[in-house]
Amino acid sequence: MPKITFIGAGSITFTRNLTSDILLTPALQESTITLMDVDETRLQWARNLVQSMIDRRGLKARVEATTDRRAAIKGADYVVTTFQVGGLSAYQYDIEIPERYGVEQCVGDTLNPGGIFRALRSIPLLLDICREMDELAPNALLLNNVNPMVPCCWAIDRAIGRPFVGLCHSAQGTTRLMARWSGVPYSEVTYLVAGINHLAFVLEFKRGKDDLYPRFREAAHEEEFYGREPLRIQMMDHLGYFVTESSGHLSEYVPYFRKNTRMVNEELAPQFKFEGVGAFDQGRTGGYLRWSLERRDAYQQEYEAYISGEREDATERTPEYASAIMEAMETNQPITINGNVPNRGAITNLPADCCVEVPCVVDGNGVQRTIVGDLPRQLAALIRTNVNVQDLTVEAALTLDRAAVYHAVSLDPLTAAVLTLPQIHAMVDEMLEAQARWLPSFINRRRSFARATA
């Protein structure tokens, strides 16, 4: 049975949900689950959670925990990455420094200054993991869950070239939403989703031969639904297709919605009309950071509830793809997912070397992308504004070229809509200095350059 390794297993909610999926999959129920994290306390919590699920279900799976990454990777069949370099301390700088300059990020983990700096912190570790996989587990598949998804995956392909798939839940979550609003059982729906992670579009949405898009568009403008996803619906009205990311998060990737604090608080947030839609979903600045801090404080209570059995184990698998991919590869029973993979002509009007999110077939041969062809021209044009930033971010991470960091941030659609070039330069300098402990190469390079030109 396979060895399944988690790097960053201290992300307890994710680890609990994914290991639950694995333990609910017959083909994986005798697996060895290896948990690795640098935080020994959280690692032990994760191990205890997984062991309690194994014991309650009476399974033959094994769980082991280690802080030794090489030991965790050695002999693995699947390596799942779910870490956040610098944790919430670094993430606070990602949000709070740009906010002082007027860049209003809601999540800041995909594009914008926050996403760019998260990539600069994450890519070196991902590449180290890939090199260790080449040495210690050459046939293993990397299942990457680390954001920002596109730069991280693009860097792996450009620098290492080993097999991987980047995983998200946007495509399956969005199509489930569309089915609910359309009043159609999800099991009867077929769809085509393509683009890049967090900026992919539902190109087809059908039941049999019937096009469900007209039905969905009509439902989306009903009061019951519009206030839940106002920005996504506006984008659909103007561009013709529904995007896979939620309204608050979507608002960061385009220059239309977040030009200043007043706009966010007085124009964007009031469009959300329903109780229960929180600060994150309303697009409030720093909404996801606040949610993450609250979740951190609640982890111990949740941990104790699961260990004691007060909260019951799941009885069904989540919509996440990871366990289904492993099952398809172990049983050679094909499935189709939406995965983040090298483009190589899958979307013909996006750069050939970028990373795209497209339908992929998974079986005993691994993950194989399918060919989508051209996206509608307006969608490809919008996506390319994000790809430009991602390309320069990868360049910065691989070359340690400080100038490429300035270039990436200056081309970010939201930042460019708000700041002048000198302001962008000053903001990047402040973020690099604040994050020096996680980005020492950029700081040292600047000082070396200063000495050389003095």
Side-chain angles (χ1 to χ4, degrees):
M1 299 299 288
K3 177 180 176 179
I4 303 168
T5 292
F6 288 71
I7 306 295
S11 178
I12 293 174
T13 300
F14 181 88
T15 298
R16 183 193 69 223
N17 291 343
L18 183 49
T19 53
S20 177
D21 288 347
I22 290 168
L23 297 174
L24 288 168
T25 305
L28 304 174
Q29 288 177 338
E30 296 182 12
S31 300
T32 296
I33 299 172
T34 302
L35 308 177
M36 182 271 158
D37 201 281
V38 296
D39 186 322
E40 294 188 23
T41 299
R42 294 176 68 87
L43 178 63
Q44 190 59 43
W45 285 7
R47 187 200 177 285
N48 292 344
L49 281 171
V50 176
Q51 187 65 60
S52 68
M53 285 191 284
I54 293 171
D55 293 343
R56 283 194 291 266
R57 297 173 186 183
L59 300 175
K60 295 181 180 180
R62 295 177 57 249
V63 60
E64 54 189 26
T66 180
T67 57
D68 184 338
R69 193 175 70 221
R70 288 177 61 85
I73 290 172
K74 186 175 182 179
D77 297 285
Y78 305 97
V79 175
V80 181
T81 48
T82 174
F83 56 79
Q84 183 176 343
V85 175
L88 294 181
S89 298
Y91 184 29
Q92 285 188 270
Y93 289 126
D94 289 345
I95 300 299
E96 292 172 357
I97 293 175
E99 185 179 4
R100 289 205 300 272
Y101 282 81
V103 181
E104 304 275 345
Q105 300 168 104
C106 171
V107 180
D109 72 350
T110 300
L111 211 67
N112 316 129
I116 292 165
F117 273 75
R118 184 178 291 228
L120 298 179
R121 298 191 303 269
S122 301
I123 286 171
L125 178 53
L126 275 171
L127 298 186
D128 285 346
I129 290 167
C130 287
R131 294 183 186 103
E132 289 168 357
M133 290 176 67
D134 284 348
E135 176 189 354
L136 302 169
N139 297 318
L141 176 66
L142 174 65
L143 293 86
N144 179 55
N145 297 273
V146 175
N147 279 322
M149 183 63 65
V150 174
C152 287
C153 290
W154 197 343
I156 292 169
D157 185 54
R158 186 181 290 181
I160 306 294
R162 74 162 356 269
F164 72 86
V165 61
L167 299 181
C168 188
H169 45 243
S170 296
Q172 57 270 48
T174 294
T175 50
R176 280 174 166 77
L177 177 152
M178 294 176 72
R180 288 196 305 273
W181 290 11
S182 302
V184 177
Y186 190 66
S187 60
E188 298 178 11
V189 167
T190 60
Y191 56 86
L192 172 62
V193 174
I196 61 174
N197 183 241
H198 291 178
L199 197 59
F201 291 84
V202 182
L203 304 177
E204 296 177 2
F205 186 62
K206 296 180 178 180
R207 179 168 59 178
K209 295 182 180 180
D210 295 333
D211 182 5
L212 292 175
Y213 242 124
R215 184 170 179 170
F216 172 72
R217 287 193 181 94
E218 183 177 356
H221 286 84
E222 295 176 5
E223 184 178 359
E224 178 184 0
F225 301 122
Y226 187 89
R228 300 184 187 278
E229 290 290 352
L231 304 191
R232 282 212 267 186
I233 296 168
Q234 287 179 39
M235 292 284 285
M236 177 176 65
D237 291 344
H238 286 274
L239 298 176
Y241 299 87
F242 201 59
V243 70
T244 55
E245 192 47 67
S246 64
S247 288
H249 211 350
L250 165 68
S251 68
E252 301 178 311
Y253 316 142
V254 293
Y256 315 124
F257 303 114
R258 312 185 65 87
K259 294 178 186 292
N260 53 56
T261 303
R262 183 203 59 78
M263 193 172 186
V264 171
N265 293 334
E266 298 179 18
E267 296 181 22
L268 187 155
Q271 296 182 55
F272 294 84
K273 301 296 185 184
F274 294 93
E275 293 182 6
V277 177
F280 164 47
D281 293 316
Q282 290 179 20
R284 299 282 189 188
T285 300
Y288 192 73
L289 173 61
R290 288 191 295 277
W291 181 87
S292 298
L293 292 168
E294 292 168 2
R295 291 291 302 152
R296 180 188 63 185
D297 295 338
Y299 277 150
Q300 184 164 357
Q301 290 181 342
E302 288 192 9
Y303 165 74
E304 292 170 354
Y306 276 104
I307 290 295
S308 68
E310 180 183 339
R311 293 186 66 168
E312 296 182 357
D313 294 334
T315 57
E316 296 182 358
R317 290 157 71 177
T318 71
E320 300 284 353
Y321 286 134
S323 66
I325 291 171
M326 298 174 196
E327 180 183 33
M329 291 181 64
E330 293 298 311
T331 64
N332 197 30
Q333 297 297 310
I335 62 167
T336 301
I337 66 163
N338 265 76
N340 291 272
V341 293
N343 187 11
R344 310 270 204 282
I347 298 179
T348 43
N349 54 352
L350 292 182
D353 64 336
C354 76
C355 179
V356 294
E357 188 168 278
V358 294
C360 298
V361 175
V362 187
D363 58 18
N365 293 313
V367 180
Q368 305 114 53
R369 66 190 177 282
T370 63
I371 303 301
V372 174
D374 274 2
L375 295 178
R377 294 178 71 86
Q378 72 276 17
L379 304 186
L382 178 65
I383 289 170
R384 282 195 291 267
T385 66
N386 283 220
V387 170
N388 292 336
V389 179
Q390 294 157 352
D391 185 13
L392 287 164
T393 301
V394 173
E395 178 72 10
L398 297 185
T399 64
L400 303 181
D401 184 354
R402 194 178 177 108
V405 184
Y406 299 128
H407 298 157
V409 179
S410 68
L411 290 175
D412 172 62
L414 172 59
T415 306
V418 175
L419 300 183
T420 65
L421 288 170
Q423 289 171 331
I424 291 169
H425 197 281
M427 180 181 67
V428 169
D429 280 345
E430 186 173 342
M431 292 182 74
L432 285 169
E433 293 292 340
Q435 301 194 30
R437 77 190 85 167
W438 304 292
L439 298 170
S441 297
F442 287 97
I443 298 301
N444 293 337
R445 188 178 181 86
R446 181 191 185 190
R447 289 170 180 159
S448 297
F449 178 79
R451 284 196 298 270
T453 56

